[in-house]
Amino acid sequence: MKTNDILMILISIILCGVSIYILIRNKEKKSKKLIVYCIIGMFLVMIDACMLQFFYHDNAIYKNFRMIALLSIMASVAYVDFTELRIPNEYIITGLVYWVLSIFVELICGSQFIVANIISSLIAAAALFIASLLCKICIRGSIGAGDIKLLVMGLLLGLDGIWSAIFLSLVLSFITAIYFLITKRKGKKDAMAFGPALAIGTWLSIFLTGM
């Protein structure tokens, strides 16, 4: 096992630990379901981390850092959004911090594309923000105010990675909405959490393509 592989696995554990800490810190009661969810979430993030390092091994370490950082945040966001229909600002701030850290990692790695990658991240974030805002304005109830905060996905994935993640997330969200409507667990006017679909869609996209 190479030094980069060990380093990436350790980074993945630390990033998951930070997100889990934020998640359980705000919970007065640490239920068994929450603990089980945290364990499963961390396990799934570690699967993608291993896939990136051992299967998609041509990826630069700073690129893998961004994807694992996003997954670690989305795993906790999915739980909070599903149970409370909100996305706390703590996760968005954490995502911004991770993005800045990833730029320093890219500098250390001596990347020749750092300026292009920063521009790509900013354009992807702006595109997500505008698209989310238009959906909220034009289609009532299609997206919540909290979902607009997920522009941090654009920062960490960039233009190259955002499209497949969003596509799979929208497909999963559509299937979930149909299921809830058919089973009458939700009505047409009821709010539905988009965070879980985004988390699973992003995880699948990274797992299947390595971005």
Side-chain angles (χ1 to χ4, degrees), residues 86-129:
R86 69 185 186 93
I87 298 175
N89 290 328
E90 289 173 288
Y91 294 110
I92 307 307
I93 295 171
T94 303
L96 292 173
V97 171
Y98 287 165
W99 180 61
V100 173
L101 284 176
S102 74
I103 294 174
F104 282 108
V105 173
E106 192 171 355
L107 279 171
I108 293 171
C109 292
S111 170
Q112 298 178 347
F113 308 103
I114 185 167
V115 175
N117 288 334
I118 291 174
I119 293 173
S120 173
S121 295
L122 293 174
I123 292 174
L128 276 183
F129 178 78

Side-chain angles (χ1 to χ4, degrees), residues 27-196:
K27 300 290 182 182
E28 294 181 2
K29 294 182 179 180
K30 281 69 175 179
S31 64
K32 289 183 179 179
K33 288 183 179 180
L34 175 59
I35 294 173
V36 170
Y37 178 86
C38 289
I39 293 172
I40 293 174
M42 187 171 185
F43 176 71
L44 290 174
V45 172
M46 292 304 298
I47 287 177
D48 265 9
C50 291
M51 285 290 292
L52 288 170
Q53 287 301 119
F54 302 116
F55 190 77
Y56 302 108
H57 48 77
D58 291 334
N59 283 355
I61 190 169
Y62 59 83
K63 183 178 180 182
N64 289 349
F65 175 87
R66 287 171 184 152
M67 287 187 280
I68 296 304
L70 178 60
L71 285 177
S72 68
I73 295 171
M74 292 302 296
S76 294
V77 164
Y79 183 89
V80 178
D81 196 26
F82 183 76
T83 56
E84 303 175 22
L85 291 176
R86 69 185 186 93
I87 298 175
N89 290 328
E90 289 173 288
Y91 294 110
I92 307 307
I93 295 171
T94 303
L96 292 173
V97 171
Y98 287 165
W99 180 61
V100 173
L101 284 176
S102 74
I103 294 174
F104 282 108
V105 173
E106 192 171 355
L107 279 171
I108 293 171
C109 292
S111 170
Q112 298 178 347
F113 308 103
I114 185 167
V115 175
N117 288 334
I118 291 174
I119 293 173
S120 173
S121 295
L122 293 174
I123 292 174
L128 276 183
F129 178 78
I130 293 170
S132 300
L133 192 61
L134 287 174
C135 284
K136 182 172 177 58
I137 294 172
C138 300
I139 309 173
R140 180 179 293 182
S142 63
I143 192 168
D147 295 326
I148 297 176
K149 299 177 183 178
L150 292 175
L151 58 89
V152 74
M153 283 184 65
L155 289 176
L156 290 168
L157 291 182
L159 287 171
D160 292 336
I162 199 68
W163 306 116
S164 59
I166 291 297
F167 174 76
L168 287 173
S169 299
L170 289 173
V171 171
L172 288 169
S173 181
F174 175 76
I175 293 173
T176 303
I178 294 298
Y179 169 77
F180 280 141
L181 290 173
I182 291 175
T183 57
K184 296 183 179 181
R185 295 187 179 186
K186 297 270 188 182
K188 291 182 179 180
K189 296 183 179 180
D190 293 331
M192 296 186 189
F194 190 38

